[in-house]
Amino acid sequence: VCLASFSFPTRVPTPGVFLPSKQLLAQQRFRPWAGVRLGDEYLGSVEGARQITYRILKIFREHSVVPLVESKIYKESQLQELAAFLGEGGAEDGAEGGDDGRPAKTRRMLG
């Protein structure tokens, strides 16, 4: 068998994002995941982490990147929070975002 005749899929890295929460920030401050380094600005407050994540999502959107959500979701209320967060972090229907990456008009993804 000649491997040159096989077509191997190109591996595309999948970037991840977190749904910032007090619990996540505390865990990452004291026992960060292997290979994960979050700066003081991110770890300083949930709102600071949200602003950074909004900017990251804006860059992903500009490059048609779909991130993997790294946060644990156990309840429907958490799923709704995640959907609202992703909706806020992505300008939809042509709505332009501000300097922080948040759109001028936000939409909830779940009703």
Side-chain angles (χ1 to χ4, degrees):
V1 173
C2 177
L3 291 179
S5 65
F6 285 91
S7 176
F8 293 97
T10 304
R11 293 201 73 193
V12 178
T14 303
V17 294
F18 299 112
L19 175 60
S21 68
K22 288 181 185 180
Q23 180 182 5
L24 172 79
L25 297 182
Q27 187 263 326
Q28 290 296 317
R29 265 189 227 104
F30 299 108
R31 284 189 323 246
W33 296 346
V36 174
R37 166 75 169 84
L38 300 173
D40 293 338
E41 185 181 355
Y42 194 95
L43 296 173
S45 70
V46 172
E47 185 56 30
R50 282 180 168 274
Q51 294 304 318
I52 291 168
T53 304
Y54 288 135
R55 292 194 305 258
I56 292 167
L57 289 171
K58 181 179 179 185
I59 292 167
F60 288 172
R61 186 177 59 255
E62 289 169 358
H63 296 280
S64 301
V65 173
V66 178
L68 173 68
V69 176
E70 301 277 355
S71 300
K72 295 177 183 176
I73 305 295
Y74 295 108
K75 300 184 251 175
E76 186 166 338
S77 61
Q78 292 170 316
L79 181 60
Q80 289 175 347
E81 179 185 357
L82 173 64
F85 179 73
L86 292 175
E88 290 173 4
E92 300 190 26
D93 297 333
E96 292 297 321
D99 291 337
D100 64 359
R102 295 177 86 169
K105 182 168 77 173
T106 60
R107 233 170 56 163
R108 291 185 80 78
M109 292 172 68
L110 295 177

